[in-house]
């Protein structure tokens, strides 16, 4: 491997990806494993951790799974201490765990709003805060926050999610501002509409053979004219975790097929 290509290697690095039993987190962790990293992940229940461990094993990946609620500061501090003891100091953190509640704002309770903000914004603060001291001691670190197009755009029924993801974009910039001098880079990835099991019903063909209305809407809004695949996030995630991005800090890389650049098709 050339010296240049070595910059993209994650050999010898320990990567913690939160909520990575399945979906986007699992895809990113799988790419990190292929690039040479040791994989650590958490989930909120033992059964989810077990499912995740089985899925990694099926791919030939030796992963370490922990049960932890990322909104609970004591649990997070204990998990990070355990990882440092059992696996090593965390070099790469991906704040992937997240939730969404699609409820019109005036029908949403303050408690529901707080729950979304707690998982999508407070948790990345809590987990980042837990790993940064050891990154400072080690002299390097990478933090990647899974942001969203809702870090930039609003849409019906996602007031809490958009508020949290907009806040996460600014937390990303602030971590970069505060800890950049310690050779810690904090960036975000903003996925577009990604084809996952959760979005499968929105992509099913209608009885008359036509696309689902939401599917039509997304295709029309995306210059790439397709949904993203979880694999589309792997290259950007590896880049932002690697030495190749050492002078990239406080940036959100939108992997959206061009949606944010596009005003949309003119009606016929």
């Amino acid at each position: 491997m050339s010296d240049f290509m070595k910059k993209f290697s994650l050999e010898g690095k320990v990567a913690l990806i939160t909520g990575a039993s399945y979906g986007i987190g699992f895809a990113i962790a799988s790419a990190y494993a292929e690039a040479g990293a040791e994989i650590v992940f958490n989930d909120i229940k033992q059964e989810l951790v077990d499912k995740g461990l089985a899925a990694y094993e099926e791919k030939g990946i030796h992963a370490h799974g922990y049960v932890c609620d990322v909104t609970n500061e004591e649990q997070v501090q204990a998990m990070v201490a355990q990882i440092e003891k059992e696996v090593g100091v965390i070099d790469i953190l991906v704040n992937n765990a997240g939730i969404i509640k699609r409820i019109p704002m005036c029908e949403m309770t303050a408690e529901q709003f707080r729950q979304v903000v707690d998982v999508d914004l407070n948790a990345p603060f809590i987990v980042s805060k837990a790993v940064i001291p050891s990154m400072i001691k080690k002299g390097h670190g990478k933090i990647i926050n899974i942001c969203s197009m809702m870090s930039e755009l609003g849409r019906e029924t996602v007031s809490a999610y958009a508020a949290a993801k907009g806040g996460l974009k600014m937390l990303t910039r602030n971590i970069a501002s505060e800890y950049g001098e310690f050779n810690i880079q904090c960036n975000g990835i903003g996925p577009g509409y990604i084809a996952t099991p959760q979005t499968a019903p929105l992509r099913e063909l209608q009885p008359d053979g036509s696309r689902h209305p939401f599917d039509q809407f997304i295709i029309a809004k995306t210059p790439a004219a397709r949904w993203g695949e979880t694999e589309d996030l792997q290259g950007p995630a590896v880049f932002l975790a690697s030495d190749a991005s050492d002078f990239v800090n406080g940036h959100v890389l939108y992997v959206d097929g061009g949606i944010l650049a596009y005003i949309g098709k003119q009606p016929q």
Side-chain angles (χ1 to χ4, degrees):
M1 191 191 287
S2 70
D3 287 347
F4 175 72
M5 289 310 292
K6 278 181 192 160
K7 286 178 184 262
F8 292 89
S9 168
L10 304 182
E11 204 66 48
K13 302 283 174 71
V14 175
L16 166 62
I17 303 94
T18 65
S21 299
Y22 58 90
I24 287 171
F26 181 82
I28 288 173
S30 300
Y32 284 176
E34 211 171 312
E38 188 81 12
I39 302 304
V40 181
F41 74 99
N42 81 292
D43 222 312
I44 200 162
K45 291 179 187 161
Q46 186 66 54
E47 63 190 89
L48 289 170
V49 171
D50 291 343
K51 270 185 190 171
L53 287 169
Y56 285 112
E57 202 174 314
E58 205 177 307
K59 288 195 83 161
I61 295 167
H62 174 65
H64 309 264
Y66 295 84
V67 178
C68 178
D69 175 355
V70 284
T71 67
N72 182 312
E73 189 162 15
E74 280 179 14
Q75 283 187 32
V76 168
Q77 292 283 353
M79 176 182 72
V80 168
Q82 200 179 345
I83 292 166
E84 289 190 359
K85 193 174 158 192
E86 294 175 1
V87 187
V89 170
I90 294 157
D91 300 286
I92 301 156
L93 165 65
V94 181
N95 283 309
N96 166 74
I99 60 168
I100 188 167
K101 289 183 184 290
R102 293 182 179 88
I103 306 168
M105 183 173 154
C106 288
E107 292 168 27
M108 187 174 225
T109 65
E111 185 50 43
Q112 288 170 324
F113 189 94
R114 283 191 198 102
Q115 192 190 356
V116 175
V117 172
D118 207 20
V119 177
D120 293 355
L121 180 56
N122 291 344
F125 162 78
I126 289 167
V127 187
S128 299
K129 184 182 156 191
V131 303
I132 285 170
S134 291
M135 286 179 172
I136 290 173
K137 275 186 205 153
K138 202 167 184 180
H140 75 85
K142 302 278 183 177
I143 298 173
I144 297 157
N145 292 323
I146 303 301
C147 295
S148 165
M149 289 189 305
M150 300 302 128
S151 299
E152 301 290 344
L153 299 171
R155 202 168 80 74
E156 300 82 355
T157 76
V158 294
S159 57
Y161 185 79
K165 293 296 188 178
L168 187 57
K169 174 181 71 174
M170 292 313 299
L171 178 64
T172 300
R173 289 177 178 175
N174 209 81
I175 293 171
S177 305
E178 207 163 339
Y179 297 103
E181 66 180 294
F182 300 103
N183 193 27
I184 293 170
Q185 291 83 48
C186 180
N187 293 291
I189 291 178
Y193 285 92
I194 306 295
T196 62
Q198 290 95 314
T199 59
L202 300 173
R203 288 175 282 109
E204 278 176 5
L205 288 178
Q206 301 302 282
D208 66 358
S210 66
R211 287 179 181 273
H212 186 288
F214 192 79
D215 190 12
Q216 289 178 28
F217 166 69
I218 294 306
I219 299 301
K221 289 292 290 179
T222 309
R226 66 173 178 88
W227 287 66
E229 302 290 338
T230 52
E231 289 78 13
D232 289 315
L233 299 164
Q234 291 179 321
V238 169
F239 166 65
L240 290 177
S242 75
D243 294 347
S245 61
D246 278 357
F247 205 55
V248 179
N249 213 355
H251 176 75
V252 180
L253 174 49
Y254 290 100
V255 186
D256 65 355
I259 290 180
L260 285 172
Y262 188 43
I263 198 169
K265 280 189 170 70
Q266 185 178 324
Q268 297 302 313

